[in-house]
Amino acid sequence: MKFKWPVLFWMIFSLLTLSTCLTFLLFDKNVGAFVGKLGSYWFAFLLTALVVFGLTGVFYRIASKLMPLSDQNETLITLGALLFILLFIGYGFWQGQAIKTAHYQVNIDKRAKSDKKNLRAVLISDVHLGYINDEKKFEKIVTKINALHPDIVLISGDLFDGNYEALQEPQKIIKELNRLNANYGTYLCWGNHDAGETFKKMKALVAKTDITLLEDEIAIVEDTFLIAGRKDSRPIGSQDGKRQSIEKQLKAAREDLPVIILDHQPSTINEYGGNVDLIVSGHTHQGQVFPFNLVTNAYFTVDYGYYRKENVAPQVVVSSGVGVWGPPMRVGTQSEIVAIDIKLK
């Protein structure tokens, strides 16, 4: 006799699946923190189970043709697959909440008017504020950033998870954004998830903070460096107008200052010339869950880390992101805060 799942299992399974459907189908509504979290975690389980049980089924069919398998063997194979799923997602959930600090040193052959020769930029991307990456997790992120004593904080897109309504306590998010402590302030560009039906609410929240939002705009920061922030190149929904070129702005800007570009997707790095010194991006999550890191590595010129083409083009730093998207787990990658120590001439 074949393995049969108990009726209670199917009842629980149905309720959990309902929470996932509510979370993802009502993507511009607030289904509540409990349902949102439950639905997200169950989505990860379903996705993993679909792959593992699919591969197990293939293995079982091949094995049954090579040798006779009893019902007991089928039960053991099924329970073994279930154990693997639980271990895999358990590790993935734990790894998805852990945050490391990555360090890079970037040399720029320009001199700031203020004669400042060292600048520490702290970069985060892909926060994906919502049900999983909530105000409590963001509080921990801000504390870690401040502990690095940044001169400037850079947020390279996807601050939100596409649905402003998923924020349970927006005022706490505002408080935490204002708690970021950097000598030259915090600068933000939009990512592809910072868009859609609730975009105006996202923008209104940012307007209540001390953050400088750059939408295809350039700012000169205290005669020390020039920073430009871009709208996303392929937003999921509206971002109050299309992405505009900043080429004229860059040409008109002071060429003697270091130029830093905030651009969410690293697929756009070839848009910039030698007048740009550093591009910081995110978006890829470095694949987030193995083996998708192999896909992002093949698709993007640089999907993670430091990159410079032929030692002459702009230097690029791509973060794997400090949050998670979709299944709230990481396997083979890590969430991170990036400290970039910039050495000027």
Side-chain angles (χ1 to χ4, degrees):
M1 117 180 212
K2 293 185 177 182
F3 181 80
K4 291 184 178 180
W5 298 100
V7 175
L8 181 60
F9 166 84
W10 289 113
M11 292 175 63
I12 296 173
F13 179 91
S14 299
L15 289 173
L16 291 172
T17 303
L18 177 62
S19 71
T20 297
C21 291
L22 290 173
T23 300
F24 289 95
L25 292 178
L26 300 178
F27 56 89
D28 58 349
K29 307 294 182 184
N30 181 5
V31 299
F34 177 77
V35 173
K37 282 181 167 59
L38 188 65
S40 297
Y41 281 110
W42 185 243
F43 171 70
F45 178 87
L46 289 177
L47 195 62
T48 305
L50 180 66
V51 173
V52 173
F53 280 131
L55 293 175
T56 301
V58 172
F59 167 78
Y60 180 79
R61 284 193 292 272
I62 294 174
S64 62
K65 290 181 179 180
L66 298 176
M67 66 185 74
L69 296 175
S70 65
D71 290 343
Q72 184 179 10
N73 287 333
E74 181 181 355
T75 299
L76 290 174
I77 290 172
T78 301
L79 292 176
L82 182 59
L83 178 62
F84 175 82
I85 291 168
L86 293 175
L87 291 174
F88 185 86
I89 64 172
Y91 171 78
F93 291 161
W94 172 78
Q95 185 77 344
Q97 294 301 311
I99 300 173
K100 72 167 186 175
T101 302
H103 292 268
Y104 299 95
Q105 181 167 318
V106 171
N107 297 319
I108 295 178
D109 192 24
K110 289 181 181 178
R111 185 188 303 274
K113 187 174 179 181
S114 64
D115 290 329
K116 186 174 180 64
K117 293 186 177 181
N118 296 287
L119 178 73
R120 167 160 282 193
V122 173
L123 165 69
I124 59 170
S125 72
D126 303 278
V127 184
H128 289 283
L129 290 169
Y131 298 121
I132 296 297
N133 307 296
D134 57 14
E135 61 281 350
K136 292 181 181 179
K137 182 174 181 180
F138 192 54
E139 180 182 1
K140 295 178 182 178
I141 292 170
V142 171
T143 298
K144 287 178 177 289
I145 292 172
N146 288 341
L148 293 170
H149 306 292
D151 289 305
I152 184 172
V153 174
L154 307 173
I155 305 176
S156 61
D158 280 358
L159 177 63
F160 300 93
D161 198 32
N163 178 17
Y164 176 88
E165 303 301 338
L167 303 182
Q168 304 303 305
E169 299 186 72
Q171 292 303 316
K172 287 190 176 181
I173 297 298
I174 293 171
K175 178 183 176 182
E176 291 306 317
L177 287 169
N178 283 333
R179 197 164 64 85
L180 287 166
N181 185 18
N183 296 330
Y184 298 128
T186 300
Y187 292 80
L188 163 72
C189 77
W190 293 129
N192 59 312
H193 286 270
D194 302 315
E197 294 295 326
T198 58
F199 174 72
K200 290 184 178 180
K201 292 183 178 181
M202 299 175 194
K203 191 169 181 177
L205 183 147
V206 172
K208 295 176 182 177
T209 71
D210 298 327
I211 289 177
T212 300
L213 170 64
L214 296 173
E215 299 178 292
D216 298 326
E217 297 168 301
I218 288 176
I220 295 177
V221 184
E222 297 189 18
D223 283 333
T224 300
F225 56 93
L226 183 152
I227 183 165
R230 307 300 309 278
K231 288 184 178 180
D232 189 72
S233 56
R234 292 189 297 273
I236 305 172
S238 171
Q239 276 185 349
D240 280 353
K242 295 182 179 179
R243 175 178 166 113
Q244 302 295 317
S245 172
I246 61 168
E247 185 177 351
K248 290 183 179 179
Q249 296 181 59
L250 286 175
K251 286 182 177 179
R254 292 176 49 183
E255 296 182 356
D256 58 322
L257 290 181
V259 178
I260 301 173
I261 301 286
L262 278 170
D263 201 342
H264 180 61
Q265 301 199 35
S267 56
T268 64
I269 60 175
N270 292 326
E271 293 181 10
Y272 305 101
N275 59 331
V276 171
D277 298 293
L278 175 64
I279 303 169
V280 293
S281 301
H283 180 65
T284 69
H285 293 226
Q286 200 189 0
Q288 190 166 310
V289 177
F290 177 85
F292 294 106
N293 56 320
L294 303 178
V295 177
T296 58
N297 182 259
Y299 180 78
F300 294 96
T301 301
V302 52
D303 75 321
Y304 176 71
Y306 175 85
Y307 171 82
R308 190 177 195 181
K309 182 180 179 181
E310 298 174 355
N311 210 36
V312 293
Q315 299 175 79
V316 181
V317 172
V318 179
S319 172
S320 60
V322 73
V324 291
W325 173 80
M329 57 192 293
R330 282 187 181 268
V331 176
T333 67
Q334 287 187 293
S335 299
E336 67 176 14
I337 294 168
V338 182
I340 307 172
D341 289 316
I342 302 172
K343 187 175 181 180
L344 302 175
K345 184 177 178 180

